């Protein structure tokens, strides 16, 4: 199979490339190993929506093992406990390390926040460019994929929380 893909170039005997397979393997390991994050929460009587926007992340698409790169926006409404703001960025970056579909990644992040904080509701919106769509396949550069996961009051389409969150992350 591999010989069929590389019929002429004996790349593994080129000294300049001899370390490339090792570097590649170590890069894949790095991109699939999240740092450990302490989800330390604090008691608080804050009860208004908290939004952490534009958290940069990179993940690997589970179908093609190429990156999808973008931003995550999180909103939640606390009920007695809050999380240090930097933990949202650390948490997203850590969970994103691995092989994912963007749909499942958004859901996993929302569920983790829901488990740790038991908020009134939590919303996670992710927007990313998938290299498997821009450098190969349909080759549609600039295409953004947007996924979301809404729990608690955010999941209720008739309630204010969802539309407030969505309009706040769009304001620039
Ligand atoms: Zn893909």
């Amino acid at each position: 199979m591999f010989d069929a893909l590389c019929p002429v170039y004996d790349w593994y005997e080129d000294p300049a490339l001899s370390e490339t397979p090792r570097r590649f393997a170590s890069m894949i390991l790095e991109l699939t190993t999240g740092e450990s994050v302490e989800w330390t929460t604090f008691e608080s009587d804050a009860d208004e929506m908290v939004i952490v926007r534009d958290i940069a992340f990179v993940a690997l698409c589970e179908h093609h093992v190429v990156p999808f790169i973008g931003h995550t926006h999180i909103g939640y409404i606390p009920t007695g406990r809050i999380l240090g703001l930097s933990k949202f960025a650390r948490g997203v970056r850590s969970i994103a390390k691995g092989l994912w579909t963007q749909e499942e990644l958004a859901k996993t992040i929302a569920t983790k926040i829901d488990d740790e904080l038991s908020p009134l509701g939590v919303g996670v919106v992710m927007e990313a460019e998938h290299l498997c769509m821009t450098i190969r396949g349909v080759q549609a550069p600039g295409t953004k994929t947007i996924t979301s996961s809404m729990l608690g009051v955010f999941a209720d389409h008739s309630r204010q929380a969802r539309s407030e969150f969505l309009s706040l992350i769009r304001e620039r």
Side-chain angles (χ1 to χ4, degrees):
M1 169 78 173
F2 190 78
D3 285 347
L5 290 171
C6 306
V8 288
Y9 190 48
D10 209 359
W11 64 276
Y12 44 85
E13 295 203 351
D14 182 335
L17 301 180
S18 64
E19 281 295 291
T20 295
R22 190 194 55 74
R23 286 194 201 98
F24 182 77
S26 117
M27 177 194 72
I28 295 294
L29 193 64
E30 182 184 333
L31 289 174
T32 52
T33 309
E35 60 173 311
S36 70
V37 176
E38 296 283 330
W39 292 80
T40 317
T41 61
F42 307 95
E43 266 182 53
S44 167
D45 54 9
D47 57 2
E48 289 293 333
M49 190 178 303
V50 179
I51 291 188
V52 185
R53 202 173 71 175
D54 298 321
I55 302 167
F57 76 93
V58 56
L60 292 176
C61 143
E62 71 178 22
H63 300 135
H64 304 100
V65 199
V66 292
F68 58 99
I69 300 166
H71 292 91
T72 302
H73 316 294
I74 294 171
Y76 77 105
I77 301 175
T79 48
R81 300 202 76 79
I82 56 171
L83 180 71
L85 295 174
S86 68
K87 301 294 183 182
F88 288 101
R90 284 182 192 283
V92 166
R93 284 208 304 263
S94 177
I95 293 171
K97 294 279 181 76
L99 300 174
W100 286 105
T101 65
Q102 189 179 316
E103 295 89 333
E104 287 294 323
L105 181 55
K107 191 174 167 189
T108 300
I109 292 167
T111 304
K112 177 70 177 166
I113 293 166
D114 194 45
D115 289 348
E116 296 293 337
L117 287 164
S118 304
L120 207 55
V122 55
V124 172
V125 171
M126 306 192 84
E127 42 189 298
E129 184 167 335
H130 289 241
L131 264 59
C132 60
M133 275 177 69
T134 60
I135 62 171
R136 59 160 293 287
V138 296
Q139 297 185 3
T143 308
K144 285 262 174 80
T145 301
I146 299 177
T147 57
S148 63
S149 180
M150 305 285 180
L151 302 176
V153 292
F154 287 70
D156 183 345
H157 291 227
S158 64
R159 289 286 290 270
Q160 196 68 23
R162 182 191 186 92
S163 52
E164 185 181 340
F165 171 52
L166 292 175
S167 80
L168 283 170
I169 64 172
R170 279 180 181 88
E171 272 172 23
R172 285 289 185 269

